[in-house]
Amino acid sequence: METFTLIRRHPALLVSVMSAVPSLVGNRKGIGLSWDSTDYVAVGLSMAAGRGALDVTGVPMAIRPPGLSVFVTLGDWLSVSPDVSLRIVNALCMVAIVWCTDLLLRRCGVRPLARWIGVAIVALSPALLDIFTMAWSEPPFIALILAGLVIATRERAWPWDVALGVIFTALFFVRYVGPFYAAPIALVAALVQMRRSGFLLAFLRAGTSLSLSMVLPWLWLMRNKDLTGYLTGYRVPGGGTLLDPFKTFTATLGSWLIARPPLDGKGGIYLNWNDFSAYMQVAGVVVWIVLVASLARFLVDARTRSRDAVVVVAACTLVFLTYGGFSLYRFVYHEMGPLDSRMMSGLYVPIVVMLVVALDSVRARQLRVAVASSALVVLAWHSTATVRDGIDYGRTGRHWGSEFHRTVPIHEYAAKLPADAALYSNEPQSLFAATFHWPIRNQYMYQLPYDLPCSRRYFVWFNQSFLPDGKPVGGTVVYEDSWGQVIDLDACNTDIGRFWP
């Protein structure tokens, strides 16, 4: 009875909890795995065993932070598999995101219809479902961003600044771009607190939170520099002009609107403008027009809006501009990571909040009806896509986490090799996703000492590989099919170098 009373008084709680259902359905055959997913899992299991943050191949990981891996570590200590741990994490993060979305829209005082449409668009987002059915760092990252915005956009007692500091630190350790969200949120926190605490104290509190939150990240960056010579691992800039990533971001906005990924989700990680359909490109331009026009109109009438609404919209806009601008710069001068759905996912909810608050302020009745009707059409379209995608994802699993990947005969054979066998492969990440055997060295790492006691060595060679050269010679083939071979490389106490003469 008390539960029904709680739901009746706080229906957003029920919606938030129910928002976890699509990802749970999509993950029912196992969470999706990709290249970086395998490193997150490997690092988590490695830390659980007390070996430190070591990746799939058994070397220290610097290219990605270990934040998501901590959940794998905690799950392993509780005898919970990485698959189950990350499914739970994704579901809980979705609940938190939808709850925070409702809090922000309530704070802005938008009308109930607009608020529920905004909450539903987040809860039933195909773009978010695509991310929340994978073992990726984005789900906890987006949840932390929203929690930071909820705290920073209201006046608060000093313990909340401590909470902000913890969130800022966590943002970095989940994704290296965390500081480029933390900085604008800290600025908003200071500006909001000025009326209650004064200029100096407000900026002192927010600045202290931000500064202290960088202590542990700095130590981690120095660790990376010592190990690899790079602060965040070796990266290659994309070059070109700022227009190239801006076009990709525009098309990404369009893919969010029409609820389909480019190239049917098979485009890899190096997408560009031409990889997106004409519908996505046009839809992206439409999103920009609506976003800029609605925010401009909101700004013109800002004096007639509530202070909370202005603060929330300003905070979301500042986050959008800061991270968006940094992402354009990063692609050209630092890292060739395209401004795709994953890279820009932290801006998804702030964009929704900005649009809902700005469009809710429309006064003309006919225009208001047109806006509400359009929003309901988008919601219906997205809901349909989410249900369809959730069922499809859950039918067989996704990418390397799929049932098909696990049951490939060569994978099944490798998974049945002795637990104390030393594995090598020219596709170590893919093989790890099917076997969770650690570590799996590639052919160029055979001279590195093997970190665990082992009885015998095997090389799993795949005919299709991003590392097509360096196949060992002279070993005994113990399994072979169209996918590749499993080659016995003799006992671990013998010279492995003879197989690469």
Side-chain angles (χ1 to χ4, degrees), residues 348-362:
Y348 186 93
V349 179
I351 290 173
V352 172
V353 171
M354 286 190 290
L355 285 173
V356 170
V357 177
L359 293 175
D360 183 62
S361 64
V362 171

Side-chain angles (χ1 to χ4, degrees), residues 234-240 244-245 248 268-272 327-340 343:
Y234 177 71
R235 300 172 190 271
V236 178
D244 295 326
T248 303
I269 63 173
Y270 298 115
L271 298 170
N272 58 52
S327 296
L328 297 177
Y329 172 86
R330 176 182 58 180
F331 176 87
V332 174
Y333 298 105
H334 182 60
E335 180 189 7
M336 194 172 54
L339 279 65
D340 60 3
M343 194 75 72

